[in-house]
Amino acid sequence: MRSSNLFLILVVGGVAALLACAPAHATVINYGADGVAGGAGANADTVLFYDDFESQPAASVSHSKYDGTDTNKDARPTAPLYGTWGYDTGTWTTTGSSGYRYRDVQVTDFEDVSAGGWNPGPYQGSNYLRLHRTSGNKVESRMCFADQTSGSIHFSEAVYNVSRASSTYPQSFMMGLRTSATQNIALFAAGINGLQYYSSAGAWTDIPGLDYTTRTWQTWAIDYAVGSNSITVTVDGKSATGNFVYNPTNGASVGYGFIGTGNTYMSFVDEPNAVPEPSTVAILAAGLIGLFCYAWCKRR
C-alpha cells in the first residue's frame, strides 16, 4: 500500500475517532457507563433531549410581554431537535386546576431590561421560554425520551429567576427527573432560603450551602447514575452531592426531565449548550480531512 493512501486512512480514522469520543452537549444526555462526558462504546454520550427554541415556528412565538397582546397566544414549544415535549403525546403539558393554559408556558423573543422589566432576553440565540403559574398548584413541562435503564443522566438548563420564592409557594422554579410512569426520582426547587430538594418524607428540604441568584442567568444541572441512591445538583459550577433522591426504588429507569414553577412570579429557561447539527459535524470532518490531505500533498 502506498504511504499516501496509508496516511489518508490514518487521518480519516483519527478524525472519526475524535468525533466519536467528543463530549456531547444538550439539555438531557446519558453519559454512559463511566458517567463522564465523552468516550466511546459503553461510555459514549447519547443525546436524549434538546430544544434551544430556535426551531419553533415563527407563528408560535410570543413577541410581547406577558400581560401584552400575546397573553393568550398558544406559544408552547413544539419543535425539539431530540426527544418530544409532553408525556407520550408529544404535546406541552401543564398541570393545575384549569388544565391546559397556553399563556403559562410560552416561547418568546421579547426582551425588556428596563427598571422592573421581567423579560431578560435569551441566554443564547433569539428565543427562550417563560413559565408563569396563573392558577392551580403548579405548571409543569416535560421533556420525554426513551426509558434509560443504565448509564448516568445529565440534565442542564439555563435558568433565570425573577424573584426569591415566597412563603406561600416556596418553589419559584422546579427541575427534576421522573420515570416514564411519572414517579418522582428527584425534584429540586428555588426555595425561600436557597436550593431545596423534595425529600422522601414529602417535605421541601434545604440543601446546605447551595443557593441561587435572582435576575441573572444561571446554569442548573442534575447528575444521576440510574438506580443510585445519590444525586449531584449543581448551580453555576457549585455542586452538592447527597441522598437527594425522593424514592430510590423509582430510579430503576429515567423517562423524562421536567421543569416547572409553583410561583406567580415568572421564571425563564433557555438551552445552555449548543449541539452541532449532523451536517455541521460532517462538514467539519470533511474540512479536517481535506486540510490534512492538502498538507500531505504539499509535502510531496
Side-chain angles (χ1 to χ4, degrees):
M1 180 182 295
R2 293 179 58 185
S3 59
S4 59
N5 292 338
L6 178 60
F7 180 79
L8 181 59
I9 292 172
L10 290 174
V11 169
V12 173
V15 171
L18 287 173
L19 291 173
C21 295
H25 299 286
T27 311
V28 188
I29 307 171
N30 190 330
Y31 277 157
D34 63 354
V36 178
N43 297 326
D45 297 349
T46 302
V47 175
L48 303 176
F49 188 94
Y50 177 76
D51 192 350
D52 59 4
F53 310 112
E54 300 306 312
S55 299
Q56 180 80 355
S60 298
V61 176
S62 174
H63 306 297
S64 75
K65 60 183 180 180
Y66 183 77
D67 57 351
T69 57
D70 284 350
T71 296
N72 292 306
K73 181 174 184 175
D74 186 356
R76 294 171 292 172
T78 58
L81 298 179
Y82 295 86
T84 57
W85 282 112
Y87 178 62
D88 288 343
T89 61
T91 59
W92 187 268
T93 301
T94 61
T95 60
S97 60
S98 60
Y100 279 118
R101 298 186 298 276
Y102 297 159
R103 62 191 180 192
D104 284 353
V105 283
Q106 290 183 323
V107 175
T108 183
D109 60 4
F110 182 72
E111 181 175 352
D112 175 14
V113 294
S114 61
W118 275 15
N119 294 265
Y123 181 77
Q124 67 170 5
S126 300
N127 299 333
Y128 62 121
L129 186 74
R130 61 185 171 204
L131 301 170
H132 184 272
R133 183 187 65 82
T134 54
S135 63
N137 181 34
K138 63 182 182 296
V139 174
E140 180 184 300
S141 314
R142 303 169 183 177
M143 305 166 184
C144 302
F145 43 83
D147 275 357
Q148 303 295 298
T149 57
S150 63
S152 182
I153 307 301
H154 178 77
F155 177 19
S156 62
E157 286 283 13
V159 177
Y160 186 103
N161 283 295
V162 169
S163 179
R164 299 289 292 192
S166 68
S167 57
T168 304
Y169 283 97
Q171 303 88 38
S172 63
F173 175 78
M174 294 179 290
M175 179 172 169
L177 297 173
R178 288 200 179 119
T179 69
S180 59
T182 72
Q183 296 173 313
N184 292 327
I185 298 172
L187 298 83
F188 298 93
I192 300 172
N193 301 315
L195 208 71
Q196 298 178 316
Y197 74 99
Y198 199 62
S199 72
S200 57
W204 288 103
T205 306
D206 293 340
I207 300 177
L210 205 56
D211 203 354
Y212 63 97
T213 303
T214 59
R215 304 217 171 191
T216 187
W217 282 105
Q218 294 186 296
T219 300
W220 286 33
I222 297 172
D223 288 279
Y224 174 65
V226 179
S228 173
N229 291 341
S230 180
I231 200 163
T232 297
V233 59
T234 304
V235 176
D236 265 4
K238 186 174 183 179
S239 301
T241 301
N243 186 16
F244 305 137
V245 181
Y246 171 74
N247 187 344
T249 59
N250 290 344
S253 68
V254 178
Y256 65 91
F258 71 92
I259 53 175
T261 181
N263 202 305
T264 55
Y265 294 111
M266 282 188 290
S267 298
F268 300 88
V269 175
D270 204 352
E271 168 57 49
N273 304 301
V275 176
E277 296 287 340
S279 57
T280 303
V281 174
I283 292 171
L284 176 62
L288 289 173
I289 292 171
L291 191 62
F292 275 115
C293 291
Y294 174 77
W296 174 253
C297 290
K298 290 286 288 184
R299 288 181 60 187
R300 296 185 64 194

